[in-house]
Structure formats: C-alpha cells, structure tokens
C-alpha cells in the first residue's frame, strides 16, 4: 500500500497549508498506521525491541550478578527496574537512523507533495515508537518474571514505572530525530547515538551501585537522568528507597528536553521538506 493511498489528497501548491487539529490527528493516525505496516513488512526491524531485553538481562544477570550483588536472584531485583528505563532510551535513539534513511531513499520527497501537517510526520514516528517501547517493556518484564524477578509492590506501581520510562524515552526521540535530520548518513547518526548512549547507560546506577565508582564518575551519575529513572523504577517495583524525588527529576528532565528539542526537530524537518 502506498503513502498516497493512506492519505488521499490532491496536490495544490496554492492551497492553504494551515491544517486544523482534526486534520492533523487524522494524518498522524494514517502515518502511524503506515509505520506499523512497514514493521509488519519487515519484521527484522523489531529484533532490537524483542531480543534486546532478553539479551541484556541474560548477559548481565549471569555474567555480573554474582560479582556485583553476590547472586543472580538479588541482581535481578536490582537490574530489571534499571533496564526498564534504559529500554525506552535505546529504542528512541534508533529512530534517528530510520528518519535519516527516509530522507536518503526519497520517502520524504513523497510526503512533500502531500497536503499534510509537517509535524504529523514526526508525531507519527513518536506514536509508533511508543508502541515498540511498550512491547519491549512487556517482553522485559515477562522474561524477568521467568528468571525470578518479584514485583514487591502492585500493578499501579508497575504501570507508573512503565509510564515513566515511556515519557523519558519519548523525550529522547526528539533528540534522535534532530540528529537524524542534521547528520549526513544513517551510519553517522548511529555512531553519534552510541556515543551518547554508552556513557549514559554505564555511567548510571542501572548496572552497579554508584558508591563503588570514583568520585568524578559519581558526580556524573548524580546528574545523569538515567540514574534518577533507575532509582525511581526500583522504588516503584521493589518498594525500596525514595520515589518522589527521582520521579520529579525524570519528569522535569523529560519536559525540558521535549520543550527544547521538539520545536528544533519540527523546524529542521520543515526546512528540509
């Protein structure tokens, strides 16, 4: 099915480009459906969302669990809440690579000929990525339960942890999309994304207690939003430690990130299209 069939419209260069809220929502829905259809046609593109939670959990629990926490059972309880936050960010950073490829392959040239709101193209990617993140979170939690993870609170706290991870991840999507439209190649986008991802992942409280790290690295972990997200998730899922403060930090960081990078990404997209 082509893009034109998803959003039937006549191209009129003199038409008013202002589109109302109802029209924008309709375009977002159509383009989100298109993105999901592309995943259905290319199921290999879901390997990161499906396999990454399983691989990370197995690798860290059985390789580092005994050394860090004294046993796999104790480490599962520490690791899984941290991975829940990391999953959204890892998937979000991959969006920029796909967006860059869309420009390189001419997909965006076809969108340029359609009377659609420019922001709807980016918002549809945000919506599709939200669904991928939810699937990845469900796989992570399901596999963790098989390995012995115990939810020590309740379903409301679990949903709050997943929602917080989703909010954070979607704020990162805007940064990723801006990178995807600013760099020349998909390989460059992937390389820069990894340079951002790796220090934030391992320079946080996700995998190991921060009090074992050198002082300069502890200073970085204190301002790293992934540390706050991991701590908030542990409080929500394990019922241990403070919750309100790290949740507030994550929400503020996500709001500021979205407020700064969303307009920049939309402006960059309009300039390129």
């Amino acid at each position: 099915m082509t893009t034109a069939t998803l959003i039937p419209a006549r191209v009129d260069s003199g038409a008013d480009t202002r589109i109302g809220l109802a029209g924008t929502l309709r375009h977002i829905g159509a383009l989100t459906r298109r993105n999901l259809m592309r995943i259905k046609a290319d199921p290999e593109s879901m390997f990161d969302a499906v396999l990454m939670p399983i691989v990370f959990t197995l690798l860290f629990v059985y390789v580092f669990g005994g050394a860090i926490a004294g046993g796999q059972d104790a480490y599962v309880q520490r690791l899984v809440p941290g991975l829940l936050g990391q999953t959204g960010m890892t998937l979000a950073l991959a969006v920029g690579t796909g967006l860059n490829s869309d420009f390189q392959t001419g997909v965006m040239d076809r969108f340029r000929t359609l009377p659609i709101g420019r922001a709807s193209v980016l918002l549809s990617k945000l919506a599709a990525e939200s669904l991928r993140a939810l699937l990845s979170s469900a796989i992570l939690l399901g596999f963790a339960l098989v390995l012995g993870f115990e939810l020590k609170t309740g379903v409301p706290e679990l949903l709050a942890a997943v929602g917080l991870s989703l909010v954070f991840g979607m704020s990162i999507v805007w940064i990723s999309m801006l990178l995807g439209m600013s760099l020349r190649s998909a390989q460059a986008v992937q390389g820069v994304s990894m340079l951002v991802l790796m220090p934030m992942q391992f320079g946080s409280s996700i995998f190991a207690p921060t009090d074992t790290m050198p002082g300069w690295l502890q200073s970085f972990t204190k301002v790293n939003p992934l540390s706050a997200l991991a701590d908030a998730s542990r409080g929500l899922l394990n019922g241990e430690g403070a919750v309100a403060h790290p949740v507030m930090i994550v929400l503020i960081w996500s709001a500021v990130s979205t407020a700064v990078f969303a307009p920049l990404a939309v402006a960059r997209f309009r300039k390129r299209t």
Side-chain angles (χ1 to χ4, degrees):
M1 183 177 294
T2 65
T3 304
T5 60
L6 287 175
I7 310 175
R10 294 177 59 186
V11 178
D12 184 357
S13 59
D16 186 358
T17 57
R18 292 175 297 178
I19 299 174
L21 177 60
T24 299
L25 292 176
R26 185 171 66 253
H27 296 159
I28 293 172
L31 290 171
T32 300
R33 180 169 175 263
R34 169 191 174 272
N35 291 331
L36 295 177
M37 290 174 63
R38 290 183 65 185
I39 293 175
K40 181 179 179 181
D42 182 23
E44 289 85 357
S45 63
M46 286 294 293
F47 280 178
D48 57 343
V50 174
L51 297 180
M52 184 184 67
I54 297 175
V55 171
F56 263 90
T57 305
L58 285 175
L59 179 65
F60 281 93
V61 167
Y62 290 106
V63 174
F64 300 110
I68 295 177
Q72 283 75 30
D73 293 339
Y75 193 58
V76 165
Q77 291 297 136
R78 173 182 180 84
L79 177 68
V80 171
L83 287 182
L84 187 64
Q86 174 197 281
T87 298
M89 180 178 180
T90 304
L91 294 177
L93 287 175
V95 176
T97 304
L99 185 60
N100 185 280
S101 298
D102 285 344
F103 276 101
Q104 300 298 330
T105 56
V107 172
M108 293 305 169
D109 292 333
R110 301 181 67 182
F111 287 149
R112 188 183 296 120
T113 66
L114 299 174
I116 60 176
R118 294 295 182 257
S120 63
V121 177
L122 302 184
L123 290 172
S124 67
K125 287 188 173 293
L126 189 72
E129 191 59 32
S130 298
L131 296 176
R132 286 200 342 129
L134 286 174
L135 174 62
S136 187
S137 298
I139 292 173
L140 169 64
L141 292 170
F143 187 68
L145 291 173
V146 173
L147 292 184
F149 177 76
E150 181 183 354
L151 178 62
K152 297 182 179 180
T153 51
V155 174
E157 290 82 3
L158 172 62
L159 295 178
V162 173
L164 189 66
S165 172
L166 187 62
V167 169
F168 178 78
M170 293 311 100
S171 71
I172 300 296
V173 168
W174 292 110
I175 302 176
S176 179
M177 290 194 290
L178 182 60
L179 287 175
M181 294 181 287
S182 301
L183 300 178
R184 293 187 177 182
S185 67
Q187 291 81 2
V189 177
Q190 186 176 23
V192 172
S193 297
M194 291 302 296
L195 287 176
V196 174
L197 179 64
M198 297 299 287
M200 290 190 69
Q201 281 183 331
F202 293 101
S204 71
S205 62
I206 291 178
F207 301 105
T210 58
D211 55 12
T212 64
M213 301 177 183
W216 62 268
L217 186 54
Q218 289 187 39
S219 299
F220 175 74
T221 62
K222 291 179 181 179
V223 298
N224 187 347
L226 275 181
S227 292
L229 182 56
D231 294 341
S233 296
R234 291 190 184 102
L236 289 168
L237 300 182
N238 295 336
E240 301 173 355
V243 174
H245 181 65
V247 166
M248 181 181 66
I249 291 177
V250 173
L251 291 178
I252 292 175
W253 198 97
S254 300
V256 171
S257 178
T258 301
V260 171
F261 290 101
L264 291 175
V266 173
R268 181 64 178 173
F269 183 77
R270 286 174 175 167
K271 183 178 179 180
R272 291 201 59 174
T273 57

